Amino acid sequence: MTTKKKGAPALPLNTILAGDCIEAMNALPEASVDLIFADPPYNLQLRGDLHRPDNSRVDAVDDEWDRFSSFSAYDDFTRAWLKAARRLLKPNGAIWVIGSYHNIFRVGAALQDQGFWILNDVVWRKSNPMPNFRGKRLTNAHETMIWAGKDESSKYTFNYEALKALNEGIQMRSDWVLPICTGHERLKDESGDKAHPTQKPESLLHRILIGSTNVGDVVLDPFFGTGTTGAVAKMLGRDFIGIEREETYREVAEKRIAMVRRLDKEALQTTTSKRAEPRVPFGQLVERGMLRPGESLYSMNNRHKAKVRADGTLIGDDVKGSIHQVGAALEGAPSCNGWTYWCFKKDGKRVPIDLLRQQIRAEMSN
Amino acid sequence: MTTKKKGAPALPLNTILAGDCIEAMNALPEASVDLIFADPPYNLQLRGDLHRPDNSRVDAVDDEWDRFSSFSAYDDFTRAWLKAARRLLKPNGAIWVIGSYHNIFRVGAALQDQGFWILNDVVWRKSNPMPNFRGKRLTNAHETMIWAGKDESSKYTFNYEALKALNEGIQMRSDWVLPICTGHERLKDESGDKAHPTQKPESLLHRILIGSTNVGDVVLDPFFGTGTTGAVAKMLGRDFIGIEREETYREVAEKRIAMVRRLDKEALQTTTSKRAEPRVPFGQLVERGMLRPGESLYSMNNRHKAKVRADGTLIGDDVKGSIHQVGAALEGAPSCNGWTYWCFKKDGKRVPIDLLRQQIRAEMSN
DNA sequence: ACGAGATATGAATCTACTA
DNA sequence: GTAGTAGATTCATATCTCG
């Protein structure tokens, strides 16, 4: 399915593009994607994957030189695909990259050097990692993800309330405990072997997409593999674009995603924040007669009092101004949310004025 | 105390050197140190003030030593001190560096570029991190440590069995859950303010030194601060060399370390024992009358409660099983260390049941 | 003395909109 | 661009205060 968005060139939405991810990305229109999720290769032996600049062959390479040249080649590759990825992002777009200690430090430094602004590094703590059989190191029980905005000023998407709800009402932390991909979720080929060596669990993508995209957003994955990103995106009502070089992976991914059903509207609804709700000027409460000019408001802690004026400002002892300004001044605080700070009296009881705002908002949504 | 080791130039063991760490390191003899632990400035780049929702101001890390003009300046600094550090390491030496997403990717890339060989990246998962007050990102709940050998062929020290014993007989993972440094452990100045903005917990250094040094090893810390590395090294019978620019930090560290007592031979042996600590079934606490059947246990976070049954299992709301199973079920976690999760009440105070196990173990070793 | 409740604080790249 | 202002936002733990 290819969809045309207002005025912009066509985006190959919900398809898997074949070929090299850098070329494929450069063929897409710039500033057209909301989120990029990338699980790049990190095996330094796969030089063919790395677009290594054609170094002259030196026979007697010692280990250190060889190591340096492979890091250097990996850096070239990383910077090339990150540059192409950044071009595709909308100004308020963001990127997630996952990796291990073999490559993540190089990826992180490259992100910073290219102007991406790191928002968090997130640790995927595997609940069932492979043990270190030889007992020579610690069990490698986690992978690292970097979440970064396109630049410092990007107004990135962050569904704080939805993630908080996912975490039983407590703010989501930067360490996520999730099992690795096994059992029925792990895709197999005809001979029963795993179809892809590093298939990521859907739970990981679920949390990423819930937290940093909205329904209808476009999510691009330049190292699509067997399509976990696409499967979760489709389920969650996001559009995806996948890029994958290997035909076998593309085939597995196509079949997999075809089986996925988009959740219905109700299931897709997530907890929203107060910030997303329409603004209500305090003056409207006066205009509508919900509060009378001259009426007294009382502070939450009952220590202060102020009078409502006809223009929607307050006047207290030696202070006048907005509900927020007067609250802050009386408390000697740098700021104050007047809506939750002030109460009015109703039948002798103190009621937060925020209740009146909620009434107005309820009427607006009808 | 300055000690001369066989034939090598004198090392200023168990002292704190003043001045810039690069100069100080270059003045020391090469290949003389077993382990380096470094907690360099993080280059936080903080801007305005931050207030908690209750309007109190967050005491930010705004010290002069954490200000760099650019990533490039920070990289120059990092590469310079890493180069000096690497020169000091014995061929089989290793280094630990701790950082956050602000700097750790640059540190990791520099380590790799200079020929260090990364062994693990270790995540310190803070059990009590500072929340994200504005709800704009994930709680920054961890820091990252990189453990690397001097080079690929280094026969680094790794006390596999000791760490396994510390972890209740299970292979130690790359993610460590430890609380931040607070309470009595947190050093204060005369006016009662924290003596250092970023003091690390001793538990962190304890695990590092147990795992990657032996008794009598030399541990160098080029960013000594208030001397956590020195205090733990002394306690564990390792020699330390500290380097610190700020005189006030040096003074605090001197006093602190003077108060530390080296563990006696026996205690040292236990801590680094080759075999795991003897296993103590929870039921033994009941059999011995240390806990009564019917007695209530309380979770560490005080959110859950369960009753002890005569057979050494617990029963909570709709769950029964071992202390570990019930803890995991109540927390919705894949696993749970019941020994550290559950508390009993003693004289009204909540005491971890692990204390009872320690009592039994102490008796067993007599 | 003891318990309940209040207060304090931690390596933090922590807003969004209008004029 | 900048300045001003509305208004949204916290978890675990240690210590202190007061009855």
Side-chain angles (χ1 to χ4, degrees):
Chain A
M1 167 182 29
T2 301
T3 308
K4 206 161 174 118
K5 297 227 164 176
K6 45 173 178 178
L11 271 181
L13 290 185
N14 305 312
T15 56
I16 307 173
L17 307 177
D20 171 72
C21 76
I22 297 171
E23 285 172 28
M25 284 194 276
N26 284 337
L28 293 172
E30 64 175 332
S32 56
V33 161
D34 296 288
L35 191 84
I36 292 174
F37 175 85
D39 182 10
Y42 58 79
N43 190 337
L44 299 183
Q45 310 309 322
L46 297 175
R47 298 234 165 110
D49 277 354
L50 304 184
H51 302 262
R52 187 183 189 204
D54 206 355
N55 292 340
S56 57
R57 181 104 172 85
V58 183
D59 267 339
V61 211
D62 68 11
D63 286 340
E64 196 152 338
W65 167 255
D66 187 46
R67 188 183 315 125
F68 174 79
S69 66
S70 19
F71 280 133
S72 171
Y74 189 79
D75 289 345
D76 290 345
F77 163 70
T78 300
R79 284 165 207 275
W81 76 256
L82 279 178
K83 186 181 170 194
R86 189 153 184 269
R87 177 185 153 273
L88 284 187
L89 281 179
K90 295 179 185 175
N92 293 330
I95 190 170
W96 286 82
V97 189
I98 184 168
S100 68
Y101 68 81
H102 304 89
N103 70 324
I104 199 66
F105 303 115
R106 318 209 71 87
V107 170
L111 280 164
Q112 291 178 314
D113 288 341
Q114 298 200 3
F116 287 100
W117 192 246
I118 298 183
L119 301 166
N120 278 114
D121 60 333
V122 179
V123 172
W124 168 28
R125 189 210 188 241
K126 303 177 186 179
S127 52
N128 48 351
M130 197 193 313
N132 185 294
F133 293 113
R134 297 180 56 206
K136 304 302 286 183
R137 301 182 184 190
L138 301 164
T139 308
N140 206 346
H142 75 276
E143 292 189 29
T144 301
M145 296 180 288
I146 301 175
W147 175 35
K150 180 169 184 175
D151 52 53
E152 188 176 348
S153 60
S154 291
K155 305 220 180 309
Y156 56 92
T157 298
F158 181 53
N159 295 319
Y160 176 76
E161 293 291 344
L163 287 183
K164 189 172 172 178
L166 265 182
N167 197 35
E168 297 198 307
I170 292 165
Q171 188 172 90
M172 184 71 80
R173 298 168 42 115
S174 57
D175 54 329
W176 298 355
V177 181
L178 295 169
I180 60 177
C181 184
T182 55
H184 290 303
E185 191 188 328
R186 187 83 197 217
L187 300 168
K188 306 286 194 327
D189 60 20
E190 301 79 21
S191 47
D193 300 321
K194 51 192 175 192
H196 192 280
T198 66
Q199 186 183 339
K200 295 291 173 289
E202 298 196 355
S203 56
L204 201 64
L205 271 296
H206 183 100
R207 198 173 282 189
I208 288 172
L209 294 186
I210 289 290
S212 56
T213 63
N214 294 313
V215 171
D217 276 4
V218 177
V219 179
L220 180 133
D221 185 336
F223 307 98
F224 203 59
T226 49
T228 306
T229 303
V232 179
K234 182 177 176 188
M235 182 181 74
L236 294 179
R238 277 74 169 162
D239 288 318
F240 71 88
I241 301 171
I243 307 172
E244 175 53 47
R245 287 202 320 189
E246 305 282 335
E247 191 181 350
T248 48
Y249 295 158
R250 289 199 304 272
E251 285 168 2
V252 173
E254 291 277 12
K255 277 188 207 158
R256 171 190 192 178
I257 294 169
M259 308 256 304
V260 174
R261 280 188 48 195
R262 187 187 198 274
L263 295 176
D264 62 37
K265 205 173 168 185
E266 202 177 351
L268 281 179
Q269 257 167 6
T270 57
T271 321
T272 56
S273 74
K274 269 191 179 177
R275 274 187 270 252
E277 294 188 52
R279 282 198 178 201
V280 178
F282 175 71
Q284 213 171 109
L285 273 56
V286 186
E287 284 172 2
R288 288 172 165 232
M290 299 168 107
L291 292 172
R292 299 179 320 277
E295 185 171 350
S296 286
L297 298 187
Y298 305 88
S299 73
M300 217 46 190
N301 55 23
N302 223 351
R303 264 181 269 195
H304 299 287
K305 204 167 106 166
K307 273 196 178 147
V308 176
R309 302 201 293 183
D311 62 352
T313 61
L314 296 190
I315 181 161
D317 296 331
D318 301 326
V319 252
K320 46 192 174 184
S322 72
I323 51 173
H324 315 293
Q325 289 168 330
V326 174
L330 290 173
E331 290 293 323
S335 72
C336 171
N337 184 343
W339 289 106
T340 51
Y341 180 75
W342 293 109
C343 299
F344 67 102
K345 291 225 173 161
K346 187 183 180 180
D347 306 329
K349 279 181 192 159
R350 299 182 333 121
V351 180
I353 59 173
D354 202 28
L355 217 76
L356 301 175
R357 181 170 65 160
Q358 284 168 30
Q359 281 178 27
I360 294 181
R361 280 180 174 159
E363 290 170 27
M364 289 167 76
S365 64
N366 290 341
Chain B
M1 167 182 29
T2 300
T3 308
K4 205 161 174 120
K5 298 229 164 174
K6 44 173 177 178
L11 270 182
L13 290 185
N14 306 311
T15 56
I16 308 174
L17 308 177
D20 171 70
C21 76
I22 298 172
E23 285 172 29
M25 284 194 277
N26 284 336
L28 293 173
E30 65 176 331
S32 55
V33 161
D34 296 287
L35 190 84
I36 292 174
F37 175 84
D39 182 11
Y42 287 8
N43 189 21
L44 284 192
Q45 307 173 261
L46 302 177
R47 268 179 277 283
D49 277 356
L50 178 66
H51 292 89
R52 299 185 182 79
D54 66 2
N55 275 324
S56 61
R57 200 177 75 89
V58 173
D59 185 14
V61 179
D62 53 1
D63 305 71
E64 189 276 327
W65 48 253
D66 196 38
R67 284 200 274 271
F68 295 85
S69 58
S70 63
F71 280 130
S72 168
Y74 187 80
D75 289 344
D76 290 345
F77 162 74
T78 300
R79 285 165 204 276
W81 76 255
L82 278 178
K83 187 181 171 195
R86 189 155 184 266
R87 178 185 151 274
L88 285 186
L89 281 179
K90 295 179 185 173
N92 292 331
I95 188 172
W96 287 81
V97 189
I98 184 167
S100 65
Y101 66 83
H102 310 84
N103 71 322
I104 199 65
F105 304 114
R106 316 205 75 85
V107 170
L111 280 164
Q112 291 177 314
D113 288 343
Q114 299 200 3
F116 287 101
W117 192 250
I118 297 183
L119 301 166
N120 276 115
D121 59 335
V122 178
V123 173
W124 169 25
R125 303 171 64 207
K126 303 179 183 183
S127 57
N128 49 347
M130 185 161 71
N132 185 293
F133 295 117
R134 307 297 291 268
K136 301 307 293 182
R137 300 183 180 190
L138 301 164
T139 309
N140 205 347
H142 75 277
E143 293 190 24
T144 302
M145 297 180 290
I146 302 175
W147 175 36
K150 181 170 183 175
D151 52 53
E152 188 175 350
S153 60
S154 292
K155 305 218 181 311
Y156 55 92
T157 298
F158 181 54
N159 295 318
Y160 176 78
E161 292 294 343
L163 286 182
K164 192 170 168 181
L166 269 182
N167 198 35
E168 293 217 307
I170 296 163
Q171 193 171 85
M172 184 71 80
R173 302 166 43 110
S174 57
D175 58 320
W176 300 353
V177 181
L178 296 169
I180 60 176
C181 183
T182 59
H184 288 303
E185 191 187 329
R186 188 84 195 213
L187 299 167
K188 304 287 190 332
D189 60 20
E190 301 80 21
S191 46
D193 299 321
K194 55 189 174 194
H196 192 284
T198 71
Q199 186 184 338
K200 295 294 174 287
E202 296 195 357
S203 57
L204 201 64
L205 270 296
H206 182 98
R207 199 172 282 189
I208 288 172
L209 294 187
I210 289 291
S212 56
T213 63
N214 295 312
V215 171
D217 276 5
V218 177
V219 179
L220 180 133
D221 185 336
F223 306 98
F224 203 58
T226 49
T228 305
T229 303
V232 179
K234 182 177 176 186
M235 183 181 75
L236 294 178
R238 277 73 170 162
D239 288 319
F240 71 88
I241 302 171
I243 307 172
E244 175 53 48
R245 279 196 323 188
E246 307 278 337
E247 192 183 350
T248 47
Y249 296 159
R250 289 199 305 271
E251 286 169 1
V252 173
E254 291 278 12
K255 279 189 206 160
R256 171 190 192 178
I257 294 169
M259 309 252 305
V260 174
R261 278 186 50 197
R262 188 186 197 276
L263 293 179
D264 59 37
K265 209 172 165 183
E266 200 178 347
L268 269 180
Q269 214 144 36
T270 318
T271 328
T272 62
S273 154
K274 277 272 191 260
R275 50 179 170 51
E277 296 261 27
R279 203 184 161 81
V280 177
F282 175 73
Q284 213 171 110
L285 276 55
V286 185
E287 288 171 0
R288 287 170 166 234
M290 298 169 107
L291 292 172
R292 300 181 318 278
E295 186 170 348
S296 286
L297 298 187
Y298 305 86
S299 71
M300 218 48 189
N301 56 26
N302 223 351
R303 274 188 235 154
H304 300 289
K305 203 168 108 168
K307 274 198 178 145
V308 176
R309 301 199 293 184
D311 63 354
T313 61
L314 296 190
I315 180 160
D317 294 336
D318 300 326
V319 253
K320 45 193 173 183
S322 72
I323 50 172
H324 314 294
Q325 288 167 333
V326 174
L330 291 174
E331 293 293 325
S335 68
C336 170
N337 181 347
W339 289 106
T340 54
Y341 180 75
W342 294 107
C343 299
F344 67 102
K345 290 225 173 162
K346 186 184 182 182
D347 306 328
K349 278 185 190 156
R350 301 185 329 123
V351 181
I353 58 173
D354 199 34
L355 216 76
L356 301 175
R357 181 171 63 160
Q358 284 168 31
Q359 281 178 28
I360 295 182
R361 281 185 174 155
E363 293 173 28
M364 289 169 77
S365 63
N366 289 341

